[in-house]
Amino acid sequence: MLETTKPPAEILKALETAPNIYLVLSPGLYILTASDLYLKATKSTRKAIVGKHIFEAFPANPDLPDADGVQNINASLQEVLRTKKPHYMRIQRYDVPDISNPGKFIQRYWDPSHTPVLDDSGNISYIIQLAANVTDKVLTEQALEKSRLQEQESLAHVKELNEALVSANNQLRQTQGNLHILNAGLEEIVHSRTKELAISEAKFKSLIMQNPIAMQVYRGDDMTFEINNDAMLQFLGKTAEINGKTLFEGVPEIMGQPIVDSLYHVYHTGEQLDITAMPVMIHRNGHDEHGYYNVSYRALYYDSKITGVLGIAIDVTAQVIARQALEESEEKLKVAIATGRMGTWSIELDTKQITMSDFVKDLLGIPADEPATVEKIMQAIDLEYHSDINNALKDAADNHQACDIEYAIRNLQTNEQKWVRATGRVFPGLYGKSAQFTGMFIDITEQKKDEQRKNDFIGMVSHELKTPLTSLKAYLQVLEIKAQKNDDTFVMNALGKSNNQVNKMTTMINGFLNVSRLESGKIHISIQRFDMAGLFKEVEDESIATIANHKVVFSPVDELFVNADRDKIGQVINNLISNAVKYSPQGSTIHVACQVADKCARVCVKDEGMGISAKDIDKLFDRYYRVNNNTNISGFGIGLYLSAEIINRHKGKIWAKSEIGKGSTFCFSIPFN
Ligand code: ADP
């Protein structure tokens, strides 16, 4: 190595401990000495580097062919050697070998300055390389730069991101815009749904409000009234002010009543509830009113949750009270039926199924646990009434005719004879049921026996009276002959009147006798063929002889043969004429006519009398029936009854037409054969 001048040792020593990093190089660029800090910074020792060429001691890092600052430092040193002027360098990377790791370098950055120290002759004695290890600074700077770059990068990234964000934002905005539109649409939809809802709710409300049936809507756990329509408010005896109040606030009297449980039951379970005749007490018109209501409750849902209850009420108080009254009267009727020896029966006209109360079964002798059949019933009824009963049944089925018939039965168990009265009428089949022929069955055995006894008595008395009356009449006739001989006009007159009275009495007694005979079935119809014209002539003669105060006009009658009981038909015509006389004013005219109609001989007696009201007409032919307003005219109400019985036994018809104050016409007709 070429050694030139060397700095004095004491300076070198001093420099070694200097707080700077420096190297002292010979003009041949050999290392003369290094400071401690230099050694520390280069991780080397004085021994390892002093005396060595700078680039031998600190060779270039082969891994950094271009980046390493060796070239630049050499150029700077050459510049100093040439110019002998200091040269300052920018920060250089100049890696130093890693002593502990041969072949490897430690990254180092330096900012070297090369200052020549000249000797007296102006030649370079040595070069001091002052350097600062700026590695940390550079690395920091680099890190900073990196971070700056990173920052920039990240900024760029952020920018990018921002841009992305912006575009995303734009997209978002667009999306938002779309969303907005969508939302608007949705809102529109929702709105329109709401509208629909609102419309349907409005419809729902108006439906309730306008409904004539009492309706209400409750909402929520405390049953707040949402709607009560007018009809409901009327039921509740409240005003619309209760809408918005809870049930107990609005209708406090309802508390504790069973209807509340029903309402809550529907609210909690969603079950549909229809209650018939629910008793409800409402404070109405200033007092507690008890009523009966048919109530329907339906749960109201929103989002499949129960939110309320719709209530409908129909006031059935009147019906319930009427039904209760009916049940009461039915009960009373049952008692009356039981004590009145009556029973009930009914026949379904379609199926002929018979139901009858135990009393009827007992009367007929049908065991209570056995069904009643038509055959069994007919078996119990006396044969002679079978056709009457069949006719009545047929009439009921075909013409819905009511019936009221009496007949004799024989108990199927005891063979005891009984008399019964069966009344009934057809009830149309309602609600898909078949029509029913329903009625009462009355045990009239005792009544019949009483009547029988009475008839027997009347018959007996009439019979007993007839004998003295016949002899009285005979005596009167003898006396009349005597008076005629004596030409005693007064006695003749008196006897004539007495004779009339006896005749009247005879007619009366005959009437009673006939009734009694009729009742006991002893009346006998003897049919014969005769000419009605002949009978008419006889009746006319008799009338002329006996009726003085009325004008009786007989229409001419052609020959008209009939098969009938001549006496009894004559008796009927006489009865009708004597009634016409009795019930019409003196001097009025009575028309009697006989003509042919519908293969029958029809006889009519027309008067100009007081007339008969419509309500009495049908009853005139009943036994002992007399119209109330004729109490001043004597009679027993048996004449028309007997006439009707006689005509019926001829299979004929008898009827009356009349109007109060305008006279009456009584007619009968009997078939020719
Ligand atoms: P009686 O004449 O004895 O009362 P009837 O059986 O003959 O009984 O008549 C029944 C009732 O019918 C009479 O009481 C009378 O009220 C009414 N009646 C009968 N014929 C006539 C008539 N021609 N005009 C008005 N009423 C009559």
Side-chain angles (χ1 to χ4, degrees), residues 42 46 84 103 106 182 192 199 206 224 251 284 293 297 314 348 357 362 371 433 466 502 542 591 640 654 671:
T42 56
R46 240 173 236 114
K84 297 174 187 169
I106 301 168
L182 200 70
S192 66
I199 289 166
S206 81
T224 300
V251 189
R284 193 165 43 190
Y293 299 85
Y297 283 134
I314 295 164
E348 270 192 30
S357 64
D362 189 48
K433 286 184 183 171
K466 253 190 114 174
V502 169
E542 204 179 319
H591 289 276
L640 286 179
I654 186 163

Side-chain angles (χ1 to χ4, degrees), residues 57-164:
F58 299 105
N61 182 354
D63 295 336
L64 296 167
D66 300 321
D68 200 285
V70 171
Q71 303 292 333
N72 296 332
I73 287 173
N74 190 30
S76 171
L77 282 170
Q78 296 306 320
E79 180 76 9
V80 169
L81 286 173
R82 194 178 55 85
T83 64
K84 297 174 187 169
K85 287 183 180 166
H87 189 259
Y88 302 94
M89 293 182 71
R90 287 187 295 123
I91 292 171
Q92 303 291 312
R93 177 168 176 173
Y94 183 20
D95 290 352
V96 292
D98 187 352
I99 294 164
S100 56
N101 208 354
K104 294 285 175 196
F105 286 78
I106 301 168
Q107 191 182 13
R108 282 283 179 273
Y109 286 87
W110 313 92
D111 58 344
S113 64
H114 293 122
T115 306
V117 177
L118 299 176
D119 59 17
D120 296 341
S121 50
N123 294 321
I124 294 172
S125 298
Y126 46 91
I127 299 168
I128 297 172
Q129 183 190 56
L130 246 172
N133 183 1
V134 291
T135 310
D136 288 346
K137 188 186 164 211
V138 170
L139 286 178
T140 310
E141 271 179 3
Q142 279 183 353
L144 272 171
E145 177 64 15
K146 199 179 172 190
S147 74
R148 202 176 56 81
L149 280 173
Q150 274 179 344
E151 197 182 341
Q152 271 180 357
E153 248 177 59
S154 58
L155 267 173
H157 189 63
V158 166
K159 202 181 156 204
E160 240 174 64
L161 271 177
N162 269 345
E163 277 167 9

Side-chain angles (χ1 to χ4, degrees), residues 575-576 578-584 605 607 609-612 619-622 624-630 633-643 658 663-666:
N575 182 250
L576 295 182
S578 68
N579 273 350
V581 170
K582 249 171 41 175
Y583 300 105
S584 60
V605 179
D607 65 52
M610 58 175 68
I612 307 153
K619 297 172 192 162
L620 295 179
F621 303 95
D622 289 353
Y624 308 130
Y625 189 83
R626 304 202 74 218
V627 176
N628 272 338
N629 61 2
N630 69 12
I633 303 167
S634 66
F636 295 102
I638 52 170
L640 286 179
Y641 167 68
L642 280 173
S643 300
S658 184
S664 314
T665 305
F666 281 81

Side-chain angles (χ1 to χ4, degrees), residues 290-304:
H290 293 266
Y292 295 91
Y293 299 85
N294 283 356
V295 179
S296 294
Y297 283 134
R298 297 285 181 277
L300 294 172
Y301 291 85
Y302 184 76
D303 265 0
S304 64

